Amino acid sequence: PPPPPPPPPPPPRDSIRRQRQMCIRDRYYTQFVLTDAEYRGGNEFCGVVELNHPMAQDSDRHDIEAILAQNFDLSQSAVRLVSWSRLH
């Protein structure tokens, strides 16, 4: 039988670096309460939230509540943020 084909060349270093950067997520520890009476899965949550992009430096409570509400398919008024801090 013919010899096996040679292995493909490794990807360029820049490509590997870009892939690693794309996988990095910003992580935040958060605690919040869902005030929507229709939500039956419990109403107080805490834990780590991962975002694809960091929050802007001037983000306020309303911006964070909007992101959390979007993830639960609720209106922003249905989320009350208790605490939020970036993990390093």
Side-chain angles (χ1 to χ4, degrees), residues 40-51:
R40 303 215 188 282
N43 69 346
E44 188 168 344
F45 297 87
C46 62
V48 176
V49 174
E50 291 187 357
L51 300 177

Side-chain angles (χ1 to χ4, degrees), residues 5-65:
R13 283 185 163 303
D14 289 342
S15 174
I16 294 172
R17 190 173 298 123
R18 256 185 262 120
Q19 286 175 357
R20 284 189 190 140
Q21 288 173 350
M22 290 175 65
C23 293
I24 294 174
R25 303 271 196 268
D26 277 354
R27 295 165 31 123
Y28 299 85
Y29 180 80
T30 185
Q31 183 178 5
F32 58 97
V33 175
L34 298 181
T35 59
D36 188 333
E38 297 295 314
Y39 191 78
R40 303 215 188 282
N43 69 346
E44 188 168 344
F45 297 87
C46 62
V48 176
V49 174
E50 291 187 357
L51 300 177
N52 291 335
H53 303 285
M55 297 292 295
Q57 291 292 337
D58 61 346
S59 294
D60 65 6
R61 170 177 295 274
H62 297 292
D63 298 325
I64 297 164
E65 288 172 343

